[in-house]
PDB file of all heavy atoms in Angstrom:
ATOM      1  N   GLY A 314      -5.151  17.197 -18.038  1.00 80.00           N
ATOM      2  CA  GLY A 314      -4.626  16.858 -16.715  1.00 80.00           C
ATOM      3  C   GLY A 314      -5.113  15.500 -16.239  1.00 80.00           C
ATOM      4  O   GLY A 314      -4.343  14.705 -15.697  1.00 80.00           O
ATOM      5  N   LEU A 315      -6.406  15.211 -16.464  1.00 75.00           N
ATOM      6  CA  LEU A 315      -6.942  13.906 -16.064  1.00 75.00           C
ATOM      7  C   LEU A 315      -6.337  12.785 -16.888  1.00 75.00           C
ATOM      8  O   LEU A 315      -6.075  11.687 -16.369  1.00 75.00           O
ATOM      9  CB  LEU A 315      -8.466  13.910 -16.218  1.00 75.00           C
ATOM     10  CG  LEU A 315      -9.246  14.799 -15.245  1.00 75.00           C
ATOM     11  CD1 LEU A 315     -10.734  14.754 -15.561  1.00 75.00           C
ATOM     12  CD2 LEU A 315      -8.997  14.375 -13.802  1.00 75.00           C
ATOM     13  N   ALA A 316      -6.128  13.033 -18.187  1.00 75.00           N
ATOM     14  CA  ALA A 316      -5.530  12.010 -19.039  1.00 75.00           C
ATOM     15  C   ALA A 316      -4.116  11.664 -18.588  1.00 75.00           C
ATOM     16  O   ALA A 316      -3.660  10.532 -18.759  1.00 75.00           O
ATOM     17  CB  ALA A 316      -5.523  12.486 -20.491  1.00 75.00           C
ATOM     18  N   LEU A 317      -3.403  12.622 -18.031  1.00 77.00           N
ATOM     19  CA  LEU A 317      -2.055  12.361 -17.526  1.00 77.00           C
ATOM     20  C   LEU A 317      -2.070  11.797 -16.112  1.00 77.00           C
ATOM     21  O   LEU A 317      -1.216  10.987 -15.749  1.00 77.00           O
ATOM     22  CB  LEU A 317      -1.225  13.656 -17.558  1.00 77.00           C
ATOM     23  CG  LEU A 317      -0.959  14.260 -18.940  1.00 77.00           C
ATOM     24  CD1 LEU A 317      -0.200  15.569 -18.792  1.00 77.00           C
ATOM     25  CD2 LEU A 317      -0.197  13.288 -19.821  1.00 77.00           C
ATOM     26  N   LEU A 318      -3.059  12.225 -15.312  1.00 78.00           N
ATOM     27  CA  LEU A 318      -3.096  11.812 -13.915  1.00 78.00           C
ATOM     28  C   LEU A 318      -3.583  10.380 -13.756  1.00 78.00           C
ATOM     29  O   LEU A 318      -3.051   9.633 -12.929  1.00 78.00           O
ATOM     30  CB  LEU A 318      -3.995  12.765 -13.127  1.00 78.00           C
ATOM     31  CG  LEU A 318      -4.169  12.458 -11.635  1.00 78.00           C
ATOM     32  CD1 LEU A 318      -2.823  12.541 -10.924  1.00 78.00           C
ATOM     33  CD2 LEU A 318      -5.161  13.425 -11.006  1.00 78.00           C
ATOM     34  N   MET A 319      -4.601   9.980 -14.538  1.00 74.00           N
ATOM     35  CA  MET A 319      -5.184   8.650 -14.356  1.00 74.00           C
ATOM     36  C   MET A 319      -4.172   7.528 -14.606  1.00 74.00           C
ATOM     37  O   MET A 319      -4.053   6.601 -13.777  1.00 74.00           O
ATOM     38  CB  MET A 319      -6.410   8.485 -15.254  1.00 74.00           C
ATOM     39  CG  MET A 319      -7.135   7.165 -15.058  1.00 74.00           C
ATOM     40  SD  MET A 319      -8.605   7.021 -16.090  1.00 74.00           S
ATOM     41  CE  MET A 319      -9.626   8.322 -15.372  1.00 74.00           C
ATOM     42  N   PRO A 320      -3.414   7.542 -15.721  1.00 74.00           N
ATOM     43  CA  PRO A 320      -2.420   6.468 -15.883  1.00 74.00           C
ATOM     44  C   PRO A 320      -1.384   6.458 -14.772  1.00 74.00           C
ATOM     45  O   PRO A 320      -0.991   5.388 -14.296  1.00 74.00           O
ATOM     46  CB  PRO A 320      -1.787   6.778 -17.248  1.00 74.00           C
ATOM     47  CG  PRO A 320      -2.790   7.619 -17.961  1.00 74.00           C
ATOM     48  CD  PRO A 320      -3.464   8.424 -16.887  1.00 74.00           C
ATOM     49  N   ALA A 321      -0.937   7.641 -14.346  1.00 76.00           N
ATOM     50  CA  ALA A 321       0.057   7.699 -13.280  1.00 76.00           C
ATOM     51  C   ALA A 321      -0.495   7.116 -11.985  1.00 76.00           C
ATOM     52  O   ALA A 321       0.192   6.376 -11.266  1.00 76.00           O
ATOM     53  CB  ALA A 321       0.508   9.140 -13.062  1.00 76.00           C
ATOM     54  N   LEU A 322      -1.766   7.421 -11.685  1.00 74.00           N
ATOM     55  CA  LEU A 322      -2.386   6.913 -10.464  1.00 74.00           C
ATOM     56  C   LEU A 322      -2.536   5.397 -10.508  1.00 74.00           C
ATOM     57  O   LEU A 322      -2.247   4.698  -9.525  1.00 74.00           O
ATOM     58  CB  LEU A 322      -3.741   7.580 -10.261  1.00 74.00           C
ATOM     59  CG  LEU A 322      -4.561   7.120  -9.054  1.00 74.00           C
ATOM     60  CD1 LEU A 322      -3.800   7.413  -7.767  1.00 74.00           C
ATOM     61  CD2 LEU A 322      -5.914   7.803  -9.024  1.00 74.00           C
ATOM     62  N   LEU A 323      -2.979   4.866 -11.643  1.00 72.00           N
ATOM     63  CA  LEU A 323      -3.198   3.433 -11.733  1.00 72.00           C
ATOM     64  C   LEU A 323      -1.873   2.667 -11.770  1.00 72.00           C
ATOM     65  O   LEU A 323      -1.775   1.565 -11.234  1.00 72.00           O
ATOM     66  CB  LEU A 323      -4.028   3.125 -12.978  1.00 72.00           C
ATOM     67  CG  LEU A 323      -5.461   3.658 -12.913  1.00 72.00           C
ATOM     68  CD1 LEU A 323      -6.199   3.408 -14.213  1.00 72.00           C
ATOM     69  CD2 LEU A 323      -6.226   3.011 -11.761  1.00 72.00           C
ATOM     70  N   ILE A 324      -0.852   3.235 -12.392  1.00 74.00           N
ATOM     71  CA  ILE A 324       0.472   2.611 -12.338  1.00 74.00           C
ATOM     72  C   ILE A 324       0.991   2.601 -10.901  1.00 74.00           C
ATOM     73  O   ILE A 324       1.606   1.624 -10.455  1.00 74.00           O
ATOM     74  CB  ILE A 324       1.446   3.354 -13.276  1.00 74.00           C
ATOM     75  CG1 ILE A 324       1.044   3.123 -14.732  1.00 74.00           C
ATOM     76  CG2 ILE A 324       2.873   2.899 -13.038  1.00 74.00           C
ATOM     77  CD1 ILE A 324       1.869   3.918 -15.715  1.00 74.00           C
ATOM     78  N   PHE A 325       0.705   3.666 -10.166  1.00 74.00           N
ATOM     79  CA  PHE A 325       1.098   3.722  -8.758  1.00 74.00           C
ATOM     80  C   PHE A 325       0.400   2.624  -7.960  1.00 74.00           C
ATOM     81  O   PHE A 325       0.989   2.017  -7.061  1.00 74.00           O
ATOM     82  CB  PHE A 325       0.758   5.101  -8.193  1.00 74.00           C
ATOM     83  CG  PHE A 325       1.232   5.317  -6.789  1.00 74.00           C
ATOM     84  CD1 PHE A 325       2.573   5.524  -6.528  1.00 74.00           C
ATOM     85  CD2 PHE A 325       0.338   5.311  -5.735  1.00 74.00           C
ATOM     86  CE1 PHE A 325       3.015   5.721  -5.232  1.00 74.00           C
ATOM     87  CE2 PHE A 325       0.765   5.512  -4.437  1.00 74.00           C
ATOM     88  CZ  PHE A 325       2.120   5.710  -4.189  1.00 74.00           C
ATOM     89  N   ILE A 326      -0.888   2.352  -8.287  1.00 71.00           N
ATOM     90  CA  ILE A 326      -1.618   1.277  -7.605  1.00 71.00           C
ATOM     91  C   ILE A 326      -1.006  -0.075  -7.942  1.00 71.00           C
ATOM     92  O   ILE A 326      -0.854  -0.947  -7.070  1.00 71.00           O
ATOM     93  CB  ILE A 326      -3.102   1.323  -7.998  1.00 71.00           C
ATOM     94  CG1 ILE A 326      -3.752   2.608  -7.459  1.00 71.00           C
ATOM     95  CG2 ILE A 326      -3.847   0.103  -7.482  1.00 71.00           C
ATOM     96  CD1 ILE A 326      -5.194   2.790  -7.891  1.00 71.00           C
ATOM     97  N   LEU A 327      -0.634  -0.275  -9.213  1.00 71.00           N
ATOM     98  CA  LEU A 327      -0.023  -1.540  -9.607  1.00 71.00           C
ATOM     99  C   LEU A 327       1.317  -1.766  -8.904  1.00 71.00           C
ATOM    100  O   LEU A 327       1.706  -2.908  -8.647  1.00 71.00           O
ATOM    101  CB  LEU A 327       0.184  -1.568 -11.120  1.00 71.00           C
ATOM    102  CG  LEU A 327      -1.074  -1.774 -11.983  1.00 71.00           C
ATOM    103  CD1 LEU A 327      -0.713  -1.744 -13.445  1.00 71.00           C
ATOM    104  CD2 LEU A 327      -1.756  -3.084 -11.635  1.00 71.00           C
ATOM    105  N   LEU A 328       2.014  -0.687  -8.592  1.00 74.00           N
ATOM    106  CA  LEU A 328       3.298  -0.799  -7.901  1.00 74.00           C
ATOM    107  C   LEU A 328       3.136  -0.948  -6.393  1.00 74.00           C
ATOM    108  O   LEU A 328       4.137  -0.972  -5.674  1.00 74.00           O
ATOM    109  CB  LEU A 328       4.162   0.430  -8.200  1.00 74.00           C
ATOM    110  CG  LEU A 328       4.655   0.581  -9.641  1.00 74.00           C
ATOM    111  CD1 LEU A 328       5.438   1.881  -9.799  1.00 74.00           C
ATOM    112  CD2 LEU A 328       5.513  -0.606 -10.049  1.00 74.00           C
ATOM    113  N   GLY A 329       1.871  -1.042  -5.923  1.00 74.00           N
ATOM    114  CA  GLY A 329       1.613  -1.133  -4.491  1.00 74.00           C
ATOM    115  C   GLY A 329       2.359  -2.248  -3.783  1.00 74.00           C
ATOM    116  O   GLY A 329       3.017  -2.010  -2.762  1.00 74.00           O
ATOM    117  N   PRO A 330       2.311  -3.498  -4.292  1.00 76.00           N
ATOM    118  CA  PRO A 330       3.048  -4.569  -3.601  1.00 76.00           C
ATOM    119  C   PRO A 330       4.541  -4.309  -3.510  1.00 76.00           C
ATOM    120  O   PRO A 330       5.175  -4.625  -2.506  1.00 76.00           O
ATOM    121  CB  PRO A 330       2.731  -5.797  -4.467  1.00 76.00           C
ATOM    122  CG  PRO A 330       1.432  -5.480  -5.114  1.00 76.00           C
ATOM    123  CD  PRO A 330       1.462  -4.009  -5.375  1.00 76.00           C
ATOM    124  N   TRP A 331       5.129  -3.743  -4.574  1.00 78.00           N
ATOM    125  CA  TRP A 331       6.563  -3.448  -4.540  1.00 78.00           C
ATOM    126  C   TRP A 331       6.862  -2.319  -3.557  1.00 78.00           C
ATOM    127  O   TRP A 331       7.834  -2.373  -2.802  1.00 78.00           O
ATOM    128  CB  TRP A 331       7.048  -3.088  -5.940  1.00 78.00           C
ATOM    129  CG  TRP A 331       8.512  -2.747  -5.988  1.00 78.00           C
ATOM    130  CD1 TRP A 331       9.566  -3.616  -5.954  1.00 78.00           C
ATOM    131  CD2 TRP A 331       9.076  -1.436  -6.056  1.00 78.00           C
ATOM    132  NE1 TRP A 331      10.760  -2.919  -6.003  1.00 78.00           N
ATOM    133  CE2 TRP A 331      10.487  -1.582  -6.069  1.00 78.00           C
ATOM    134  CE3 TRP A 331       8.535  -0.153  -6.116  1.00 78.00           C
ATOM    135  CZ2 TRP A 331      11.343  -0.502  -6.133  1.00 78.00           C
ATOM    136  CZ3 TRP A 331       9.396   0.928  -6.182  1.00 78.00           C
ATOM    137  CH2 TRP A 331      10.777   0.752  -6.190  1.00 78.00           C
ATOM    138  N   LEU A 332       6.027  -1.266  -3.576  1.00 79.00           N
ATOM    139  CA  LEU A 332       6.239  -0.153  -2.648  1.00 79.00           C
ATOM    140  C   LEU A 332       6.026  -0.587  -1.204  1.00 79.00           C
ATOM    141  O   LEU A 332       6.623  -0.014  -0.288  1.00 79.00           O
ATOM    142  CB  LEU A 332       5.289   0.998  -2.992  1.00 79.00           C
ATOM    143  CG  LEU A 332       5.529   1.693  -4.337  1.00 79.00           C
ATOM    144  CD1 LEU A 332       4.426   2.702  -4.613  1.00 79.00           C
ATOM    145  CD2 LEU A 332       6.888   2.376  -4.347  1.00 79.00           C
ATOM    146  N   ASP A 333       5.183  -1.601  -0.999  1.00 80.00           N
ATOM    147  CA  ASP A 333       4.914  -2.070   0.361  1.00 80.00           C
ATOM    148  C   ASP A 333       6.088  -2.851   0.937  1.00 80.00           C
ATOM    149  O   ASP A 333       6.128  -3.111   2.136  1.00 80.00           O
ATOM    150  CB  ASP A 333       3.655  -2.934   0.375  1.00 80.00           C
ATOM    151  CG  ASP A 333       2.910  -2.833   1.690  1.00 80.00           C
ATOM    152  OD1 ASP A 333       2.769  -1.708   2.207  1.00 80.00           O
ATOM    153  OD2 ASP A 333       2.473  -3.874   2.218  1.00 80.00           O
ATOM    154  N   SER A 334       7.032  -3.242   0.069  1.00 81.00           N
ATOM    155  CA  SER A 334       8.226  -3.946   0.565  1.00 81.00           C
ATOM    156  C   SER A 334       9.333  -2.980   0.974  1.00 81.00           C
ATOM    157  O   SER A 334      10.385  -3.422   1.445  1.00 81.00           O
ATOM    158  CB  SER A 334       8.743  -4.903  -0.515  1.00 81.00           C
ATOM    159  OG  SER A 334       9.191  -4.184  -1.650  1.00 81.00           O
ATOM    160  N   LYS A 335       9.097  -1.675   0.798  1.00 82.00           N
ATOM    161  CA  LYS A 335      10.104  -0.668   1.119  1.00 82.00           C
ATOM    162  C   LYS A 335       9.818  -0.041   2.491  1.00 82.00           C
ATOM    163  O   LYS A 335       8.668   0.120   2.873  1.00 82.00           O
ATOM    164  CB  LYS A 335      10.129   0.422   0.034  1.00 82.00           C
ATOM    165  CG  LYS A 335      10.347  -0.118  -1.367  1.00 82.00           C
ATOM    166  CD  LYS A 335      11.657  -0.873  -1.492  1.00 82.00           C
ATOM    167  CE  LYS A 335      11.858  -1.427  -2.886  1.00 82.00           C
ATOM    168  NZ  LYS A 335      13.100  -2.222  -3.006  1.00 82.00           N
ATOM    169  N   ASP A 336      10.880   0.281   3.196  1.00 86.00           N
ATOM    170  CA  ASP A 336      10.791   0.970   4.490  1.00 86.00           C
ATOM    171  C   ASP A 336       9.840   0.244   5.439  1.00 86.00           C
ATOM    172  O   ASP A 336       8.904   0.824   6.004  1.00 86.00           O
ATOM    173  CB  ASP A 336      10.331   2.419   4.286  1.00 86.00           C
ATOM    174  CG  ASP A 336      10.473   3.253   5.553  1.00 86.00           C
ATOM    175  OD1 ASP A 336      11.289   2.882   6.418  1.00 86.00           O
ATOM    176  OD2 ASP A 336       9.739   4.254   5.682  1.00 86.00           O
ATOM    177  N   VAL A 337      10.067  -1.047   5.618  1.00 89.00           N
ATOM    178  CA  VAL A 337       9.223  -1.854   6.510  1.00 89.00           C
ATOM    179  C   VAL A 337       9.563  -1.509   7.958  1.00 89.00           C
ATOM    180  O   VAL A 337      10.732  -1.524   8.356  1.00 89.00           O
ATOM    181  CB  VAL A 337       9.436  -3.354   6.241  1.00 89.00           C
ATOM    182  CG1 VAL A 337       8.596  -4.186   7.201  1.00 89.00           C
ATOM    183  CG2 VAL A 337       9.089  -3.685   4.796  1.00 89.00           C
ATOM    184  N   GLN A 338       8.544  -1.192   8.731  1.00 90.00           N
ATOM    185  CA  GLN A 338       8.704  -0.860  10.138  1.00 90.00           C
ATOM    186  C   GLN A 338       7.848  -1.784  10.999  1.00 90.00           C
ATOM    187  O   GLN A 338       6.793  -2.264  10.549  1.00 90.00           O
ATOM    188  CB  GLN A 338       8.317   0.598  10.398  1.00 90.00           C
ATOM    189  CG  GLN A 338       9.196   1.611   9.679  1.00 90.00           C
ATOM    190  CD  GLN A 338       8.817   3.037  10.001  1.00 90.00           C
ATOM    191  OE1 GLN A 338       7.967   3.281  10.872  1.00 90.00           O
ATOM    192  NE2 GLN A 338       9.432   4.000   9.324  1.00 90.00           N
ATOM    193  N   THR A 339       8.306  -2.029  12.206  1.00 92.00           N
ATOM    194  CA  THR A 339       7.578  -2.897  13.135  1.00 92.00           C
ATOM    195  C   THR A 339       6.755  -2.041  14.092  1.00 92.00           C
ATOM    196  O   THR A 339       7.297  -1.172  14.784  1.00 92.00           O
ATOM    197  CB  THR A 339       8.556  -3.775  13.936  1.00 92.00           C
ATOM    198  OG1 THR A 339       9.318  -4.581  13.028  1.00 92.00           O
ATOM    199  CG2 THR A 339       7.791  -4.681  14.898  1.00 92.00           C
ATOM    200  N   LEU A 340       5.434  -2.275  14.086  1.00 91.00           N
ATOM    201  CA  LEU A 340       4.528  -1.569  14.980  1.00 91.00           C
ATOM    202  C   LEU A 340       4.096  -2.510  16.091  1.00 91.00           C
ATOM    203  O   LEU A 340       3.734  -3.660  15.838  1.00 91.00           O
ATOM    204  CB  LEU A 340       3.293  -1.069  14.210  1.00 91.00           C
ATOM    205  CG  LEU A 340       3.547  -0.180  12.988  1.00 91.00           C
ATOM    206  CD1 LEU A 340       2.220   0.261  12.369  1.00 91.00           C
ATOM    207  CD2 LEU A 340       4.380   1.031  13.366  1.00 91.00           C
ATOM    208  N   GLU A 341       4.159  -2.024  17.329  1.00 93.00           N
ATOM    209  CA  GLU A 341       3.713  -2.809  18.474  1.00 93.00           C
ATOM    210  C   GLU A 341       2.244  -2.498  18.731  1.00 93.00           C
ATOM    211  O   GLU A 341       1.888  -1.360  19.065  1.00 93.00           O
ATOM    212  CB  GLU A 341       4.561  -2.488  19.698  1.00 93.00           C
ATOM    213  CG  GLU A 341       6.028  -2.857  19.528  1.00 93.00           C
ATOM    214  CD  GLU A 341       6.837  -2.616  20.791  1.00 93.00           C
ATOM    215  OE1 GLU A 341       6.244  -2.146  21.796  1.00 93.00           O
ATOM    216  OE2 GLU A 341       8.061  -2.894  20.770  1.00 93.00           O
ATOM    217  N   CYS A 342       1.397  -3.504  18.550  1.00 93.00           N
ATOM    218  CA  CYS A 342      -0.057  -3.295  18.608  1.00 93.00           C
ATOM    219  C   CYS A 342      -0.691  -4.314  19.548  1.00 93.00           C
ATOM    220  O   CYS A 342      -0.302  -5.494  19.572  1.00 93.00           O
ATOM    221  CB  CYS A 342      -0.677  -3.433  17.218  1.00 93.00           C
ATOM    222  SG  CYS A 342       0.172  -2.471  15.931  1.00 93.00           S
ATOM    223  N   GLU A 343      -1.693  -3.854  20.286  1.00 94.00           N
ATOM    224  CA  GLU A 343      -2.452  -4.735  21.179  1.00 94.00           C
ATOM    225  C   GLU A 343      -3.650  -5.295  20.421  1.00 94.00           C
ATOM    226  O   GLU A 343      -4.495  -4.559  19.930  1.00 94.00           O
ATOM    227  CB  GLU A 343      -2.926  -3.962  22.410  1.00 94.00           C
ATOM    228  CG  GLU A 343      -3.700  -4.831  23.390  1.00 94.00           C
ATOM    229  CD  GLU A 343      -4.233  -4.033  24.558  1.00 94.00           C
ATOM    230  OE1 GLU A 343      -3.958  -2.808  24.614  1.00 94.00           O
ATOM    231  OE2 GLU A 343      -4.955  -4.613  25.411  1.00 94.00           O
ATOM    232  N   VAL A 344      -3.727  -6.618  20.350  1.00 94.00           N
ATOM    233  CA  VAL A 344      -4.782  -7.293  19.594  1.00 94.00           C
ATOM    234  C   VAL A 344      -6.055  -7.359  20.435  1.00 94.00           C
ATOM    235  O   VAL A 344      -6.023  -7.781  21.599  1.00 94.00           O
ATOM    236  CB  VAL A 344      -4.333  -8.707  19.181  1.00 94.00           C
ATOM    237  CG1 VAL A 344      -5.469  -9.456  18.497  1.00 94.00           C
ATOM    238  CG2 VAL A 344      -3.115  -8.638  18.281  1.00 94.00           C
ATOM    239  N   VAL A 345      -7.159  -6.942  19.844  1.00 95.00           N
ATOM    240  CA  VAL A 345      -8.452  -7.021  20.534  1.00 95.00           C
ATOM    241  C   VAL A 345      -9.388  -8.020  19.867  1.00 95.00           C
ATOM    242  O   VAL A 345     -10.354  -8.477  20.474  1.00 95.00           O
ATOM    243  CB  VAL A 345      -9.126  -5.636  20.588  1.00 95.00           C
ATOM    244  CG1 VAL A 345      -8.282  -4.662  21.399  1.00 95.00           C
ATOM    245  CG2 VAL A 345      -9.369  -5.075  19.188  1.00 95.00           C
ATOM    246  N   ALA A 346      -9.138  -8.380  18.598  1.00 94.00           N
ATOM    247  CA  ALA A 346      -9.974  -9.360  17.901  1.00 94.00           C
ATOM    248  C   ALA A 346      -9.250  -9.811  16.654  1.00 94.00           C
ATOM    249  O   ALA A 346      -8.417  -9.088  16.083  1.00 94.00           O
ATOM    250  CB  ALA A 346     -11.332  -8.772  17.541  1.00 94.00           C
ATOM    251  N   ALA A 347      -9.549 -11.052  16.218  1.00 93.00           N
ATOM    252  CA  ALA A 347      -8.988 -11.604  14.980  1.00 93.00           C
ATOM    253  C   ALA A 347     -10.018 -12.543  14.377  1.00 93.00           C
ATOM    254  O   ALA A 347     -10.562 -13.406  15.074  1.00 93.00           O
ATOM    255  CB  ALA A 347      -7.677 -12.336  15.259  1.00 93.00           C
ATOM    256  N   GLU A 348     -10.291 -12.361  13.099  1.00 92.00           N
ATOM    257  CA  GLU A 348     -11.303 -13.181  12.436  1.00 92.00           C
ATOM    258  C   GLU A 348     -10.869 -13.533  11.020  1.00 92.00           C
ATOM    259  O   GLU A 348     -10.265 -12.716  10.325  1.00 92.00           O
ATOM    260  CB  GLU A 348     -12.646 -12.441  12.387  1.00 92.00           C
ATOM    261  CG  GLU A 348     -12.591 -11.090  11.691  1.00 92.00           C
ATOM    262  CD  GLU A 348     -13.943 -10.412  11.654  1.00 92.00           C
ATOM    263  OE1 GLU A 348     -14.922 -11.044  12.064  1.00 92.00           O
ATOM    264  OE2 GLU A 348     -14.006  -9.257  11.195  1.00 92.00           O
ATOM    265  N   PRO A 349     -11.169 -14.774  10.590  1.00 91.00           N
ATOM    266  CA  PRO A 349     -10.840 -15.162   9.213  1.00 91.00           C
ATOM    267  C   PRO A 349     -11.852 -14.555   8.245  1.00 91.00           C
ATOM    268  O   PRO A 349     -13.044 -14.462   8.548  1.00 91.00           O
ATOM    269  CB  PRO A 349     -10.931 -16.690   9.245  1.00 91.00           C
ATOM    270  CG  PRO A 349     -11.914 -16.977  10.334  1.00 91.00           C
ATOM    271  CD  PRO A 349     -11.732 -15.895  11.369  1.00 91.00           C
ATOM    272  N   VAL A 350     -11.380 -14.141   7.075  1.00 87.00           N
ATOM    273  CA  VAL A 350     -12.257 -13.537   6.074  1.00 87.00           C
ATOM    274  C   VAL A 350     -11.867 -14.081   4.703  1.00 87.00           C
ATOM    275  O   VAL A 350     -10.781 -14.612   4.494  1.00 87.00           O
ATOM    276  CB  VAL A 350     -12.152 -11.993   6.073  1.00 87.00           C
ATOM    277  CG1 VAL A 350     -12.670 -11.414   7.366  1.00 87.00           C
ATOM    278  CG2 VAL A 350     -10.732 -11.548   5.805  1.00 87.00           C
TER     279      VAL A 350
END
């Protein structure tokens, strides 16, 4: 089970940027602080 789950999980992580481009929603948020890092 772990041998099958680990590759699937890591492939899912690699697809993170692509998945983050799907179903984009706008959230209205009140800013309390902003700092460069």
Side-chain angles (χ1 to χ4, degrees):
L315 291 177
L317 296 177
L318 179 62
M319 184 178 294
L322 177 61
L323 293 176
I324 292 175
F325 185 74
I326 294 176
L327 286 179
L328 292 177
W331 179 77
L332 294 174
D333 211 43
S334 65
K335 305 301 179 183
D336 191 23
V337 178
Q338 297 182 7
T339 301
L340 304 182
E341 297 184 359
C342 311
E343 181 183 358
V344 175
V345 297
E348 57 179 354
V350 294

